[in-house]
Amino acid sequence: MRLAAALIAAAALAAAQGRAAELMALRVNAFPNAKALPLHAGIAKGIFARHGLNVALQLTENSKSQREGLAAGKFDIAQAALDNAVAMIEVAKQDVVILSGGDSGMNEFIVQPEIASFADLKGRTVIVDAPDTAYALQAKKILLKAGLHEGADYTVKPVGAVVYRYKALIEDKGNAAGVLNLPFNIQAEEHGLKSLGRLIDLLGPYQAAGAFAMRGWAREHAETVERYLAGYVESLRFVRDPANKAECLALLRDKLKLSDASAERTYAQLVDPGFGFTPDAQFSQEGFANMLALRAEIERKPNAEPPAPEKYVDLGYYERAMKALAP
């Protein structure tokens, strides 16, 4: 009997190893924040594996390292702010393609408790990931609307990903403000900082996060891309399903070391239809047009004509993935 049990266990192990060997390896890079929850859930629940993928998740320190890593082939797909893809195309002249949407940013403009308005940031320091990326450009636009000009009226300090922006705000009161998303906007308020508003309320629709890859790689690995997008959408559906709330809270506590209260508030905002994840990672044409217009204004000059969105986006992979998910 012991011999039979050992043989059965060995056969099961060999079968499992065989199944793992059959999976397509895929390296995905994202930021270490709550918006990575679908990736964590998709890996933990075997959703990506059911789509034939062995997903290895990498967490980046900042936008610069993410852009450089994608261009260097250190990973295959980035799941992050799509402005980074645009920057790779426009600034670095690299052939990148945007594959899907994801969310509108889930960002708030967080300030030290003594700051009562944007005007109070005159002469102060605003922290960002990198000065030429998505949420930094949004911050600059908001301050410009308040009559404040970068360099003349306030200083921009790059510190990296949102976890580092959060630490910079709570550890150094000389850093007056920064854009934070989940869960760090919530944790900052727990430390006494406050919000001057959600960025989508201050600036309107915005296509923030999504998936992007090098165009040549995506073309050569179309099946892998479509499997990933199908797996991501299914993982996102898992996260947004109230029946899975307890498992999602456990993942948030484990991956981000959140308290029960912070995890509850974070999850509520992640699934908030007006603030959190976009259902099925749909791409917002209006939000993307606004993002391009903002980049054209802040990074170039006022009244500059932004390029056509078609230069950056190929939703064919996403559309085929959604067909594969259809019952």
Side-chain angles (χ1 to χ4, degrees):
M1 290 180 64
R2 287 196 295 271
L3 177 59
L7 289 173
I8 291 171
L13 176 60
Q17 290 173 338
R19 287 193 297 272
E22 293 171 2
L23 299 178
M24 299 178 186
L26 182 68
R27 301 165 299 171
V28 178
N29 187 278
F31 278 81
N33 57 32
K35 294 195 289 183
L37 180 59
L39 295 170
H40 292 304
I43 294 170
K45 300 299 295 182
I47 296 171
F48 288 116
R50 288 201 297 273
H51 287 273
L53 298 177
N54 179 17
V55 172
L57 178 59
Q58 303 175 9
L59 298 177
T60 190
E61 292 187 352
N62 54 58
S63 297
K64 182 176 183 291
S65 63
Q66 184 181 70
R67 296 191 302 245
E68 291 175 349
L70 181 62
K74 294 181 179 179
F75 53 89
D76 307 310
I77 292 177
Q79 190 76 39
L82 298 182
D83 185 87
N84 289 314
V86 175
M88 290 183 71
I89 295 168
E90 293 296 326
V91 179
K93 307 302 179 186
Q94 292 159 337
D95 196 10
V96 176
V97 62
I98 291 169
L99 306 166
S100 74
D103 62 72
S104 61
M106 308 186 204
N107 286 310
E108 292 191 77
F109 203 111
I110 302 296
V111 297
Q112 297 293 347
E114 72 274 11
I115 304 294
S117 68
F118 293 112
D120 289 346
L121 292 172
K122 186 176 179 66
R124 305 296 296 272
T125 296
V126 177
I127 58 168
V128 299
D129 175 0
D132 60 345
T133 55
Y135 309 144
L137 301 184
Q138 286 187 292
K140 292 176 185 180
K141 175 62 176 179
I142 290 168
L143 294 174
L144 193 60
K145 290 174 66 174
L148 301 182
H149 294 77
E150 179 189 1
D153 298 311
Y154 66 93
T155 300
V156 167
K157 180 198 294 186
V159 299
V162 63
V163 60
Y164 302 113
R165 302 198 296 276
Y166 162 71
K167 289 180 179 178
L169 284 172
I170 63 172
E171 293 175 0
D172 183 355
K173 301 304 180 182
N175 297 317
V179 172
L180 302 184
N181 51 44
L182 293 166
F184 302 102
N185 54 332
I186 289 172
Q187 292 181 304
E189 291 183 3
E190 291 173 350
H191 279 82
L193 280 74
K194 63 185 182 182
S195 172
L196 291 185
R198 295 177 171 184
L199 267 59
I200 56 170
D201 297 330
L202 296 167
L203 294 176
Y206 186 84
Q207 178 57 68
F212 56 97
M214 301 303 294
R215 191 182 298 270
W217 180 90
R219 188 183 300 117
E220 293 172 7
H221 299 83
E223 181 183 354
T224 302
V225 172
E226 290 161 25
R227 286 172 182 256
Y228 169 72
L229 294 174
Y232 183 84
V233 169
E234 189 176 337
S235 300
L236 182 56
R237 290 175 179 176
F238 177 89
V239 166
R240 298 184 73 248
D241 186 341
N244 303 320
K245 177 181 176 180
E247 290 181 87
C248 291
L249 290 176
L251 282 170
L252 288 171
R253 290 192 296 266
D254 176 50
K255 300 300 181 181
L256 295 172
K257 310 306 177 189
L258 300 181
S259 67
D260 289 348
S262 292
E264 284 276 357
R265 291 184 63 196
T266 297
Y267 180 77
Q269 291 191 22
L270 285 172
V271 299
D272 181 337
F275 185 66
F277 289 118
T278 305
D280 286 354
Q282 295 169 358
F283 184 83
S284 169
Q285 297 288 355
E286 180 186 10
F288 191 62
N290 288 345
M291 185 263 274
L292 291 178
L294 172 63
R295 185 172 186 86
E297 176 186 355
I298 302 299
E299 282 295 279
R300 298 175 189 173
K301 57 184 179 180
N303 303 317
E305 189 69 25
E310 293 77 14
K311 177 179 180 181
Y312 311 103
V313 185
D314 183 349
L315 296 179
Y317 301 96
Y318 175 84
E319 291 162 0
R320 290 187 291 275
M322 292 303 292
K323 287 180 181 178
L325 279 176

